[in-house]
Amino acid sequence: MTNNFLVLQTDFGLADGAVAAMYGVAYTVDPKLTIANLTHEIPAYDIFAASYRLLQTIKYWPPQTVFVSVVDPGVGSARKSVVAKTKTGHYIVTPDNGTLTHVANHIGLESVKEIDEIKNRLPHSEESHTFHGRDVYVYNGAKLAQDETYYNDLKNEIAISEITSFELGELRLVDHKIYGTIDILDIRFGSLWTNIPSSMLKEAGIQNGDTISVTIYHNDIKHYQNHILFGHSFADVAVGEPVGYINSLLNLGVAINQQNFSETYGVGTGIDWNIEINKI
């Protein structure tokens, strides 16, 4: 038996009944489930963000927790539906469209099984082809959260090497300079979250209280450059001043105290947004 935790992530928003319908299916499978929302505000069709938010969250839930992630621009196409078991003992039910990329790279997958979208689905939903979040993913997620042995009933195992993934940004340390990318934003506050881990900052000799040079490129064109404090938190600088810090994922973040860095400087995210860091 599992712990009965089911965590949902979608790009559906909460403006209509889609998420409530998913809850209803899960509770119909087992009214004793504990259901939580990771987020339903993933930008529409943004598979990268879905992948990243799983990595951000999954390790803070107990092993055997089942995550259902539905950002599925290919719904109804030939893309597979899968359940992945991570090396930490968590489960992810999702389309095989790249959503597993960050978890596979940073946590690791133990095994992956395909969901038969005809057999393993909400009863009497066979004529529906555009709401697999309700009819396939949350249904299978609820069955798995109800009883972990359901995973064994999914017979078609897929080689981990065959799982769809996308390119992640560069990360390297050369002559005390760190080269990385801006993966995503701390959305509400506009801080930049990079792929540069705190361990690499230490390796480059950067410590709290140091001044660091921050240069940001977009498609190899310099977009921003400044010398800023590397501090513990936003309060280490005056309101309106930039600061580097270690975020909640233990990676380098870049922010403006009580202002939105992304909006202020027009900085975006993704592998086309590169950042270089070195100690002054």
Side-chain angles (χ1 to χ4, degrees):
M1 298 294 289
T2 66
N3 52 32
N4 300 121
F5 292 147
L6 183 65
V7 181
L8 308 183
Q9 170 176 270
T10 74
D11 59 352
F12 298 164
L14 297 173
D16 62 17
V19 172
M22 292 176 67
Y23 267 67
V25 168
Y27 282 134
T28 299
V29 171
D30 186 350
K32 299 185 296 297
L33 295 178
T34 299
I35 305 177
N37 296 320
L38 193 162
T39 180
H40 296 292
E41 300 300 331
I42 297 291
Y45 318 122
D46 192 341
I47 296 167
F48 184 98
S51 173
Y52 191 96
R53 297 305 180 192
L54 283 171
L55 176 65
Q56 178 183 353
T57 308
I58 195 169
K59 61 186 175 183
Y60 297 104
W61 281 82
Q64 300 180 320
T65 296
V66 178
F67 290 79
V68 173
S69 181
V70 188
V71 178
D72 191 16
V75 63
S77 71
R79 63 93 187 92
K80 293 182 175 68
S81 296
V82 299
V83 182
K85 185 177 183 180
T86 73
K87 290 185 177 180
T88 52
H90 300 87
Y91 295 93
I92 304 171
V93 184
T94 189
D96 177 28
N97 60 9
T99 302
L100 295 170
T101 300
H102 282 90
V103 170
N105 276 271
H106 295 283
I107 294 176
L109 302 179
E110 181 179 302
S111 60
V112 181
K113 293 190 175 184
E114 184 177 1
I115 297 169
D116 186 331
E117 294 179 4
I118 298 175
K119 176 183 176 182
N120 301 113
R121 65 182 297 140
L122 178 68
H124 313 299
S125 68
E126 293 81 6
E127 294 186 13
S128 174
H129 303 287
T130 59
F131 197 176
H132 285 175
R134 176 196 65 197
D135 300 334
V136 176
Y137 298 118
V138 80
Y139 176 77
N140 281 271
K143 297 282 281 188
L144 184 56
Q146 180 187 46
D147 184 352
E148 188 180 14
T149 63
Y150 181 76
Y151 188 70
N152 299 328
D153 296 335
L154 302 173
K155 301 302 183 183
N156 187 15
E157 186 161 343
I158 303 171
I160 294 171
S161 61
E162 295 179 4
I163 294 301
T164 301
S165 62
F166 47 74
E167 182 181 358
L168 295 177
E170 69 167 349
L171 177 63
R172 55 195 174 96
L173 171 60
V174 180
D175 295 331
H176 302 288
K177 179 177 284 191
I178 302 172
Y179 301 83
T181 55
I182 301 168
D183 275 345
I184 209 159
L185 301 180
D186 186 356
I187 292 175
R188 187 171 179 83
F189 304 104
S191 305
L192 314 181
W193 283 14
T194 77
N195 67 339
I196 300 171
S198 60
S199 58
M200 186 169 284
L201 294 171
K202 293 175 184 176
E203 190 177 351
I206 297 173
Q207 304 178 32
N208 182 257
D210 286 342
T211 299
I212 57 175
S213 172
V214 176
T215 308
I216 296 172
Y217 296 87
H218 184 221
N219 291 321
D220 298 324
I221 298 172
K222 186 183 294 185
H223 188 86
Y224 171 90
Q225 187 170 40
N226 200 1
H227 292 173
I228 69 174
L229 176 73
F230 177 64
H232 279 301
S233 69
F234 318 110
D236 288 346
V237 296
V239 173
E241 291 296 317
V243 62
Y245 66 102
I246 299 300
N247 68 14
S248 59
L249 294 185
L250 303 183
N251 288 343
L252 174 69
V254 181
I256 300 175
N257 186 15
Q258 299 184 39
Q259 292 182 20
N260 187 308
F261 194 105
S262 175
E263 290 182 358
T264 299
Y265 294 107
V267 176
T269 63
I271 61 174
D272 294 330
W273 286 91
N274 301 108
I275 186 167
E276 297 178 4
I277 305 292
N278 61 277
K279 181 177 176 178
I280 298 302

